[in-house]
Amino acid sequence: MLDLSYEAPKPKIIAGAKSDWELVIGMEVHAQVATRAKLFSGASTQFGAEPNSNVAFVDAGMPGMLPVINEACVAQAVRTGLGLNADINLFSAFDRKNYFYPDLPQGYQISQLYHPIVGEGEVLVELGDGTARVVRIERIHLEQDAGKSIHDMDPALSFVDLNRTGVALMEIVSRPDIRGPEEAAAYVSKLRQIMLYLGTCDGNMQNGNLRADVNVSVCAPGAYEKFRETGDFSHLGTRCEIKNMNSLRFIQQAIEYEARRQIAIIENGGKVDQETRLYDPDKGETRSMRSKEEAHDYRYFPDPDLLPLEIEQAWVDDIRASLPELPDAKKARFMGAFGLSDYDASVLTADVTASAYFEAVAEAAGDGKLAANWVINELFGRLKKDERDITDSPMSPEQLAGIIALIKSGDISGKIAKDLFEIVYTEGGDPAQIVEARGMKQVTDTGAIETAVDEIIAANPAQVDKAKQNPKLAGWFVGQVMKATGGKANPAAVNQIVMAKLGL
Amino acid sequence: MSIDTETAARVAKLARIKVDPAELPSLASEFNAILGFIEQLSELDVSDVEPMTSVTPQRLKRRVDAVTDGNQQAKVLSNAPDAREGFFAVPKVVE
């Protein structure tokens, strides 16, 4: 099903004081569903509103209020599932997960424990060194987000904002297939990329719209393979869950720290307790959240306010038909159709807008490789310098394609093309007209070049002698001719004529 | 399954209900009576009976994705014992 084939990466090995250890990681990624309204109410999901202004009475847990499901949230979950090559469950149901916290006014979170909407799928996670891990997805379920507690506004009080309460989340649960900190970060990046392509989550980690719980354990080399053969978790070590991280860097640091902590405990003859931990980025360490232990008795039961969620296969098929080309397929196509390297294809498909831009340039210019070079090296670089995004690039794909066409036709040299790029980028305009109007055309007229070469040779007899002794110095003449012609001479032609005139 | 006073105390704590320790034995015995009734139901073999989720044939009601509610900060906060600057203010809860 996946077109790209890679070797699997080697698991990360950490050398303990006594022996080597391998990491085993499973993740629960919480992705905020991109919709206008919440999962069970008509309140807005807009980020950054006045506190408690995006709150319906359902969200505030007022007595007698009943949840009514937002169909778009269901569609987005199905769309995400299809994008992860997962099974869609036509029958799913909602359960209550009971716990008390001030930012959860209902006293329970509505989630899907027993019958999630999406079943097993898989994601190809490339690591940039030519290897890739296939991470199996166990399930995706829909659930409500909680509110936000702010603890630093008053010494004795916590402040609670319910704007986020009841916003739809997709919890994407992986199998323990991730084998190192880098793989974990790459996995989250890949999920984010796929969801951005699908338009099902805005991927904003800073705002907490994408965050992850990470389950980490360590085992002796060879034990993981036994687990995969038998499915028996007793081959693996005891895991700890690090909660709620919204930075790829922190995810990696937390995993690294946590693995070393567990190894130290085991090598000192101790036992790892299965527990929930928090990562403290200031101290660079994880610590136990003992208070959560009791709360782990969530006493799940089917939500009596909600009938089971039944969807039609035809509806799922319609969603499938509307899926865009996804990153893996696009990358494979870019490599096949345009002859791009794996690296260039990855860079160009990282973002869906950038990939569309590149494709427009490549098609208009009729040269994928040149288009890739110019988009990646010149355009991305220039945009980065201006701190601009591809979405507000001052240069259109047609303009860039126009520059490339002029290079291909031999009308301008590579050096002039860079000048032209800068002019079009800053001033706008049609590249061909600019070249015409400003006399930037490459001189391929050998007569004109010969004249220029003759002049330089005549003016520099000493250099001519040196070059005859050492032919490598002929490059000096080429440089002088290029300078004399304002960079417009065809370098290959100049080189040829210089060599001939010097008799080299 | 039998509920002892310790389990009864735990259930009360999880539900945030304050129970006088002297009441725990009678509470545990009430739990046991309820569970005994459930156990009686469990004697029936219902393995091929589909769970009934509604007494009338209904489909889960759906809403369209439109913002139709909210913008009522004052109302939302009106029952709160303490509210400041648009937030609910609660006794400090911090990890």
Side-chain angles (χ1 to χ4, degrees):
Chain A
M1 143 161 326
L2 298 167
D3 290 323
L4 304 165
S5 58
Y6 293 93
E7 293 270 316
K10 296 230 173 351
K12 164 111 179 175
I13 290 175
I14 294 184
K18 295 177 181 162
S19 59
D20 283 351
W21 296 88
E22 287 183 7
L23 277 65
V24 180
I25 299 159
M27 294 183 92
E28 291 159 20
V29 171
H30 300 262
Q32 183 178 319
V33 178
T35 50
R36 286 183 279 272
K38 295 183 179 182
L39 180 54
F40 293 115
S41 86
S44 168
T45 58
Q46 192 76 44
F47 181 84
E50 274 285 293
N52 293 304
S53 59
N54 291 341
V55 182
F57 292 140
V58 187
D59 311 317
M62 294 293 175
M65 302 309 297
L66 289 173
V68 181
I69 198 163
N70 179 346
E71 192 162 38
C73 296
V74 181
Q76 292 288 55
V78 168
R79 200 171 163 78
T80 304
L82 293 172
L84 300 179
N85 305 305
D87 303 327
I88 305 301
N89 295 322
L90 299 180
F91 176 97
S92 67
F94 291 94
D95 306 294
R96 290 184 179 179
K97 176 180 179 176
N98 299 280
Y99 67 94
F100 285 106
Y101 204 74
D103 58 24
L104 186 80
Q106 284 174 150
Y108 55 86
Q109 176 193 35
I110 304 178
S111 181
Q112 297 189 298
L113 178 68
Y114 301 111
H115 300 285
I117 182 143
V118 178
E120 296 184 329
E122 63 180 27
V123 191
L124 182 75
V125 180
E126 297 108 311
L127 293 160
D129 61 354
T131 65
R133 178 76 69 196
V134 175
V135 176
R136 295 168 301 161
I137 303 294
E138 182 182 322
R139 56 188 282 158
I140 304 175
H141 57 258
L142 275 169
E143 62 183 27
Q144 297 174 299
D145 204 348
K148 188 173 150 197
S149 300
I150 302 164
H151 304 295
D152 57 5
M153 284 176 71
D154 186 286
L157 298 170
S158 290
F159 282 35
V160 180
D161 174 10
L162 300 182
N163 281 349
R164 207 187 260 277
T165 307
V167 169
L169 297 179
M170 295 176 279
E171 179 170 329
I172 305 167
V173 183
S174 85
R175 298 274 182 200
D177 290 355
I178 302 162
R179 306 301 313 281
E182 299 78 17
E183 286 184 34
Y187 168 71
V188 176
S189 299
K190 188 61 182 277
L191 286 183
R192 180 175 181 276
Q193 182 193 25
I194 292 171
M195 289 190 285
L196 283 170
Y197 267 63
L198 293 167
T200 55
C201 172
D202 73 8
N204 188 328
M205 297 190 76
Q206 212 161 14
N207 290 355
N209 296 354
L210 186 67
R211 46 194 203 262
D213 299 342
V214 188
N215 287 286
V216 181
S217 68
V218 295
C219 65
Y224 182 79
E225 286 70 22
K226 279 188 201 144
F227 157 72
R228 287 299 290 262
E229 273 163 35
T230 60
D232 181 356
F233 278 88
S234 69
H235 292 293
L236 302 180
T238 304
R239 67 174 195 269
C240 288
E241 182 180 21
I242 315 165
K243 279 279 188 199
N244 220 12
M245 283 181 289
N246 65 344
S247 140
L248 294 179
R249 196 158 55 89
F250 294 164
I251 287 172
Q252 296 184 64
Q253 289 170 355
I255 292 170
E256 184 91 26
Y257 175 87
E258 179 59 21
R260 290 181 188 280
R261 186 188 72 89
Q262 293 180 13
I263 291 166
I265 291 174
I266 299 167
E267 291 196 334
N268 287 320
K271 209 174 127 284
V272 174
D273 291 326
Q274 184 171 337
E275 61 177 359
T276 307
R277 300 180 68 85
L278 266 187
Y279 180 66
D280 181 339
D282 295 328
K283 292 189 181 141
E285 59 185 39
T286 63
R287 60 186 156 84
S288 180
M289 289 173 77
R290 301 231 178 263
S291 59
K292 279 263 171 182
E293 296 310 293
E294 185 129 76
H296 263 163
D297 191 346
Y298 290 130
R299 295 150 296 147
Y300 278 99
F301 64 88
D303 192 314
D305 287 341
L306 290 159
L307 286 165
L309 174 57
E310 289 174 281
I311 55 176
E312 316 296 325
Q313 185 60 50
W315 189 65
V316 175
D317 293 341
D318 285 348
I319 295 174
R320 189 190 297 276
S322 76
L323 292 188
E325 184 182 38
L326 289 166
D328 291 342
K330 199 181 279 292
K331 185 176 161 185
R333 184 167 62 80
F334 279 10
M335 288 167 72
F338 298 118
L340 301 191
S341 67
D342 188 289
Y343 176 81
D344 284 355
S346 288
V347 172
L348 290 168
T349 53
D351 175 87
V352 72
T353 321
S355 72
Y357 188 103
F358 158 75
E359 213 169 342
V361 176
E363 266 162 25
D367 190 322
K369 277 187 179 170
L370 259 183
N373 285 342
W374 278 84
V375 170
I376 294 172
N377 299 325
E378 303 303 323
L379 182 66
F380 286 178
R382 191 66 180 80
L383 290 170
K384 198 173 175 188
K385 198 172 143 197
D386 279 1
E387 292 179 1
R388 284 176 110 135
D389 191 75
I390 186 80
T391 49
D392 63 4
S393 165
M395 186 183 288
S396 72
E398 292 70 30
Q399 286 172 311
L400 184 50
I403 297 174
I404 295 169
L406 290 166
I407 303 170
K408 277 177 63 103
S409 65
D411 282 340
I412 56 173
S413 66
K415 189 189 167 300
I416 291 289
K418 291 195 182 179
D419 297 341
L420 177 62
F421 177 90
E422 187 59 27
I423 294 168
V424 175
Y425 184 93
T426 48
E427 300 171 26
D430 175 54
Q433 280 172 8
I434 293 170
V435 164
E436 203 61 54
R438 306 196 187 185
M440 297 168 81
K441 264 203 174 158
Q442 177 163 258
V443 181
T444 42
D445 170 9
T446 45
I449 297 173
E450 277 182 37
T451 313
V453 174
D454 286 340
E455 281 168 14
I456 306 271
I457 287 178
N460 299 282
Q463 287 287 340
V464 173
D465 286 342
K466 280 190 200 165
K468 284 188 172 163
Q469 302 293 322
N470 180 2
K472 281 185 187 159
L473 296 177
W476 182 84
F477 287 93
V478 177
Q480 291 300 309
V481 173
M482 292 306 289
K483 210 164 153 189
T485 56
K488 287 182 289 184
N490 181 321
V494 174
N495 198 43
Q496 204 179 4
I497 293 166
V498 165
M499 295 309 247
K501 296 263 182 195
L502 290 174
L504 295 172
Chain B
M1 184 182 172
S2 169
I3 301 280
D4 54 17
T5 53
E6 202 178 308
T7 311
R10 180 171 158 73
V11 171
K13 188 177 178 198
L14 284 170
R16 300 292 189 275
I17 295 172
K18 191 175 181 182
V19 178
D20 188 329
E23 285 179 51
L24 285 175
S26 65
L27 196 61
S29 127
E30 281 174 34
F31 277 148
N32 283 322
I34 295 165
L35 287 174
F37 175 65
I38 304 285
E39 261 164 38
Q40 205 178 332
L41 291 177
S42 298
E43 285 167 20
L44 281 175
D45 178 10
V46 291
S47 53
D48 54 356
V49 180
E50 223 178 278
M52 187 178 75
T53 50
S54 172
V55 282
T56 53
Q58 288 191 67
R59 183 173 176 265
L60 177 68
K61 279 222 167 56
R62 283 114 155 117
R63 65 165 71 239
V64 296
D65 183 31
V67 177
T68 56
D69 211 336
N71 288 316
Q72 46 178 356
Q73 190 197 58
K75 276 188 185 169
V76 165
L77 295 172
S78 61
N79 288 325
D82 192 0
R84 301 179 191 193
E85 293 169 61
F87 293 93
F88 291 92
V90 302
K92 194 100 162 171
V93 276
V94 70
E95 275 300 330

